[in-house]
Amino acid sequence: MLEKINETAAYLSARMHTSPETAIILGTGLGSLVNEITEKYEIPYNEIPNFPLSTVEGHSGKLIFGKLGDKEIMAMQGRFHYYEGYSMKEVTFPVRVMRELGIKTLFVSNASGATNPDFEIGDLMIITDHINHFPEHPLRGKNIPYGPRFPDMSEAYDKELIRRADEIAAEKGIKVQHGVYVGTQGPTFETPAEYKLFHIFGADAVGMSTVPEVIVARHCGIKCFGISVVTDLGVEGKIVEITHEDVQEAADKAQPLMTTIMRELINRA
């Protein structure tokens, strides 16, 4: 694994002419942020040795380098999911490569179904903690010496970044929620009983990504900030049939607000 990580990092380093310390995984709700990246250059996933390929509609497949404001960044346009058939090592492979490239802070976004009855479709939820409900742990197997065998997760999501995001939301008049995100394997949307169970667990929202990436990032010593856009409701009495297209439509409506928070936060981080 380490040999593949180093091979991929060496390939990218030879093609990079910037030195970003900030990375963004452009999940659902952040697609338009790519339009604000200046001085950009791109490397398609299919040209990168050892990189998986995204198979999900609405998820592109390339690394983008450039500037967001004055900050040099790298961005993943298209992430990988366990439900696509990838192992957790493959899902999180890019995060380990980020560590080799000198990334210090990771920003992630996702779509989620709300289990909190106070949430509404279109709400933005700053992730304060998570529950890992995937059947395979991303750190399973021989420990890669980026971090300890048993890494601490008491602050998976950086409190200072959360504080700054709250400040930005207040300045811009953007409503934000705070909550716990539970990551599940997918690809089915949750049943009413599953939504109810996750709410009992203490989750405010549920989705199919983010948790593995954050676990590996923290193992690598990378600070993390995560935000979810609520695209459907898993609350008793409010549950309706949902499609991937519905999720994308709800996320698109929330994109300008999420983009504003992320852009400002990245420039102030």
Side-chain angles (χ1 to χ4, degrees), residues 90-106:
E90 292 171 312
V91 168
T92 58
F93 182 80
V95 178
R96 292 188 167 100
V97 173
M98 288 175 187
R99 187 261 188 195
E100 286 296 324
L101 295 176
I103 295 300
K104 301 289 191 297
T105 309
L106 175 65

Side-chain angles (χ1 to χ4, degrees), residues 3-256:
E3 186 178 321
K4 286 185 176 181
I5 294 168
N6 290 331
E7 179 188 4
T8 303
Y11 174 89
L12 292 172
S13 293
R15 287 154 182 79
M16 292 167 61
H17 49 79
T18 49
S19 302
E21 294 187 354
T22 300
I24 313 164
I25 297 178
L26 297 168
T28 305
L30 265 191
S32 64
L33 190 66
V34 72
N35 300 324
E36 302 192 23
I37 300 173
T38 60
E39 301 176 35
K40 65 184 173 187
Y41 56 102
E42 304 173 349
I43 305 175
Y45 290 166
N46 60 10
E47 295 180 7
I48 304 173
N50 308 311
F51 240 63
L53 298 175
S54 181
T55 66
V56 182
E57 183 183 345
H59 289 255
S60 301
K62 55 190 173 185
L63 285 181
I64 302 170
F65 299 86
K67 285 188 173 182
L68 192 62
D70 296 325
K71 185 85 71 172
E72 288 188 343
I73 59 99
M74 70 176 290
M76 282 182 66
Q77 192 173 30
R79 58 152 48 103
F80 312 112
H81 303 82
Y82 188 73
Y83 63 73
E84 294 176 82
Y86 294 120
S87 70
M88 277 302 184
K89 284 186 172 59
E90 292 171 312
V91 168
T92 58
F93 182 80
V95 178
R96 292 188 167 100
V97 173
M98 288 175 187
R99 187 261 188 195
E100 286 296 324
L101 295 176
I103 295 300
K104 301 289 191 297
T105 309
L106 175 65
F107 296 84
V108 297
S109 73
N110 60 56
S112 64
T115 59
N116 187 320
D118 295 329
F119 290 5
E120 298 293 340
I121 290 175
D123 279 356
L124 300 181
M125 185 190 86
I126 293 173
I127 303 174
T128 56
D129 204 349
H130 71 228
I131 298 169
N132 181 18
H133 201 259
F134 287 92
E136 179 189 349
H137 197 283
L139 299 181
R140 177 176 174 268
K142 184 178 178 181
N143 185 47
I144 295 176
Y146 290 164
R149 169 76 280 188
F150 304 106
D152 176 69
M153 287 288 151
S154 60
E155 192 177 324
Y157 300 85
D158 189 80
K159 290 179 181 176
E160 177 60 20
L161 291 174
I162 291 171
R163 186 191 65 78
R164 292 180 192 175
D166 283 334
E167 280 185 356
I168 292 163
E171 285 174 18
K172 304 294 182 181
I174 299 172
K175 173 191 172 187
V176 291
Q177 307 278 14
H178 282 203
V180 175
Y181 174 92
V182 58
T184 66
Q185 72 179 69
T188 53
F189 293 111
E190 288 68 34
T191 67
E194 287 168 338
Y195 276 129
K196 188 174 182 179
L197 177 64
F198 293 140
H199 185 52
I200 293 169
F201 278 175
D204 297 287
V206 55
M208 306 173 193
S209 65
T210 300
V211 172
E213 297 150 332
V214 168
I215 288 173
V216 168
R218 294 302 302 129
H219 181 250
C220 292
I222 298 171
K223 293 190 297 184
C224 296
F225 175 83
I227 190 166
S228 293
V229 54
V230 174
T231 54
D232 62 286
L233 300 177
V235 178
E236 197 167 356
K238 296 183 179 180
I239 298 173
V240 296
E241 186 176 337
I242 186 77
T243 67
H244 183 60
E245 290 71 28
D246 294 331
V247 168
Q248 288 184 308
E249 183 180 347
D252 287 344
K253 290 179 181 177
Q255 265 199 125

